[in-house]
Amino acid sequence: MLMLPLEFCFQVEKVLKSVIDDCYPYEWDEDHITRDILKGLRKSFRDVTLFGYRYQLNINWEVYKYTGTPEHLYGDVAVLVKIRFRNGDLSEGVGFLEAKKRSIDSNRFDSLKNTQLEDILSIAPQAFLLLYDYENITTFINSISYLNDFDDYGEKYLQGLDKHGHFPRFLSETYCVVAPANLITSTSPKTTSLYNRSLPLSYQLCYRYLFGFDLEYDSTAIDIAKGYPPQRRYPRYVMVIRVGQNVPPPELDEPLNSEVLQILEE
């Protein structure tokens, strides 16, 4: 699948919005929402090539789920990113996401607990909260231009959208954001005010993780993501993103532990 970066981010956002629309109100549960989002992303974007940069990005996505009974779940999603850069250098890191839903008829995230976040931050200081809302989120940080990577082709793509276009909404609204978990303290309001310090998940995936930003690079965090921790501490889901800059996506040096992590079926 060949796409422009902004087009790709737009299509990711469409998947997120569609899933959350389908889950509310009868399946308004963090695990259900997260599972359906990961299945939707993997189904839509298993192999993607992005052009429009000074180089081409070749991307492969896979999603796995933990199948055992751990002593402790270590976050909801570990995003394991392996990148081969244009000069041949390799990097491998992992981003941790802890999912929380907005409580119905409330502005609070009632399941958000400080002790849980402190445990995750002890290993992953760059971890994010993944916040779901059944109403449009409009107060995220919006000073980032989504249009810098657009050329004449991109302008034609925008013009080709229907006249009611969903593209303007993509630039200003979402149902799903990430906020730094280390912002939360015992006195922090666990409400939708967190959105003021957030970014859309679509932006985080497409413009941060794909380039190696906001990841943990230490061996302990990577072992947790791959299913080889010395203690039984695993993420609920693992999203593996392999990125090659002008080359095919690189393979993982060490595969995931197949005894505890299995492909998330569609």
Side-chain angles (χ1 to χ4, degrees), residues 64-69 223-229 232 234-236 238 256-263:
Y64 299 81
K65 63 178 179 179
Y66 179 74
T67 59
T69 305
D223 284 346
I224 288 172
K226 290 188 172 183
Y228 297 104
R232 292 180 59 81
Y234 304 96
R236 191 182 300 274
V238 179
L256 302 188
N257 183 354
S258 60
E259 293 183 3
V260 297
L261 291 168
Q262 296 181 3
I263 286 283

Side-chain angles (χ1 to χ4, degrees), residues 122-264:
S122 67
I123 296 296
Q126 298 197 80
F128 284 100
L129 290 171
L130 174 55
L131 304 175
Y132 302 135
D133 202 321
Y134 48 86
E135 295 182 322
N136 284 322
I137 302 170
T138 60
T139 55
F140 57 83
I141 297 169
N142 60 5
S143 61
I144 300 167
S145 172
Y146 289 76
L147 299 174
N148 288 339
D149 54 27
F150 251 53
D151 53 15
D152 290 340
Y153 180 91
E155 292 299 330
K156 292 177 182 177
Y157 171 76
L158 283 178
Q159 294 169 11
L161 296 177
D162 64 84
K163 64 180 179 180
H164 301 291
H166 298 293
F167 214 96
R169 294 186 61 201
F170 159 67
L171 298 178
S172 61
E173 301 174 0
T174 187
Y175 289 145
C176 183
V177 295
V178 295
N182 59 16
L183 289 173
I184 308 302
T185 67
S186 58
T187 59
S188 298
K190 298 173 178 61
T191 68
T192 53
S193 64
L194 292 170
Y195 298 159
N196 294 321
R197 294 170 285 180
S198 72
L199 287 172
L201 174 61
S202 57
Y203 187 93
Q204 182 66 32
L205 288 172
C206 299
Y207 289 92
R208 301 291 296 176
Y209 284 155
L210 287 186
F211 297 92
F213 295 112
D214 310 319
L215 302 175
E216 314 294 340
Y217 287 100
D218 64 279
S219 59
T220 300
I222 293 172
D223 284 346
I224 288 172
K226 290 188 172 183
Y228 297 104
Q231 297 177 334
R232 292 180 59 81
R233 298 162 64 87
Y234 304 96
R236 191 182 300 274
Y237 300 101
V238 179
M239 176 187 291
V240 179
I241 304 178
R242 297 182 293 115
V243 183
Q245 297 183 352
N246 283 340
V247 295
E251 297 296 328
L252 299 180
D253 292 336
E254 182 181 35
L256 302 188
N257 183 354
S258 60
E259 293 183 3
V260 297
L261 291 168
Q262 296 181 3
I263 286 283
L264 181 63

Side-chain angles (χ1 to χ4, degrees), residues 34-70:
T34 302
R35 183 178 66 249
D36 283 5
I37 282 175
L38 296 178
K39 289 167 67 175
L41 291 175
R42 193 272 306 275
K43 180 179 180 180
S44 300
F45 310 113
R46 182 168 297 177
D47 290 289
V48 179
T49 296
L50 302 184
F51 71 99
Y53 299 117
R54 286 178 294 176
Y55 48 86
Q56 183 172 284
L57 285 188
N58 301 301
I59 304 162
N60 175 268
W61 294 36
E62 276 295 351
V63 180
Y64 299 81
K65 63 178 179 179
Y66 179 74
T67 59
T69 305

